[in-house]
Amino acid sequence: MFDATNEEISKALVTLAIEKTLINMGKPVLDEVTHRLFANYKCYIPDCHEHPEYLKNVLEELYGDCYNTIVESIKENLGELTTKKSIMNFLTVISE
Amino acid sequence: MQTNLEKLQTKKYLMFSIVGTYFVMLIANLSGHEITTLVTNLLYVPIPGALVILSIIVAKRFGIKGKHGRAWLFFVGLAVSWFIAEQIWLVYDLVYQIDPFPSMADFFYLAGYPFLFLFSIYYLKPLKDAISKKTLTYVSLAAIALLVPSLYMAYDTDSEISAFEFTLALIYPIADAIVLIPALIGLILFFRGEVNFLWSLICMAITLNVVADTGFLLTSMDGSYYMGHPIDMLFLWAYMLFSFGVYSHIQIFKRHRPNIKFQSLDDLR
């Protein structure tokens, strides 16, 4: 039996929300973000749950100050889960 | 990932292409009317042709899914339409030696505008939150300010042209004014520092194309236009800006080998 903690569930949901947003823009966008995360920080999308600043920096590199629209889309994909503490922390950092 | 060196090189090549075209057209203009017509017509083969190839590459990379994918598909429509239009113009002007206006070329030029408008809408969609109502109002006013004198010029032309030619002369400024709105929004975002230079190249290209179209209308109305007129340089520069804009996207969104993400289930935890 696979027992997931709340933290792991949050991590999976955040990963899904990020991936869904990026793939909606286009597969190469998801690939580029994944590539830059690994090249710059040696991390993957699931790690952005603990390090939202990495994702924020990569999106800023690609879209400039307009990355906020992507953050809004991630928020939309998370829906009512945005009130969960660990997800709120993620969104606070990424929206700063 | 596009490195700073690649960005710098892209800008260097862009400058080189712009200056190169200027000198080619200058030398052609100094060499007589026939050479000018020949050289200018021939320049409209590789320059819009390169845009078609680059747009197909970027559209293939993005596929048909996703907002960017749809945007680039519309862009291919634009590039192909305008390329066909340029080649029809070339055949009429160089081979048949008859005035290409009006001709089938106009059908393809005009067919490009809906593609261009839809592309710019999808292209600017990720930036929509940065666009205020105030910006939209100012930009719309600027487009109207350009449209009114252009329509007046078209209306004020001599009565010898047919109703069809007159209608065509009216449609172009209207189409230009419509595509100018998203293009100016893109430029404003660039000058505010909200998007980088290479992202804004396509918006610069649209704006330059609108300026060139207005110039073309003006010079055609007073009869001073000829193939190889400096106005043609603006059209060619617009194609180049489009091409470098598309090329920068190909560079930014390069294909990457997938990283082996997780060796075991424990890595996920």
Side-chain angles (χ1 to χ4, degrees), chain B residues 54-65:
Chain B
L54 290 169
S55 62
I56 290 172
I57 293 172
V58 77
K60 224 177 136 191
R61 190 156 297 176
F62 275 91
I64 52 167
K65 287 178 188 165

Side-chain angles (χ1 to χ4, degrees), chain A residues 2 24-25 32 62-63 69, chain B residues 66-68 126 199 252 256 269:
Chain A
F2 180 76
N24 272 346
M25 298 177 78
E32 186 58 35
L62 278 173
Y63 291 94
T69 313
Chain B
K67 286 170 193 159
H68 283 5
W199 274 90
I252 290 170
H256 301 293
R269 294 183 179 166

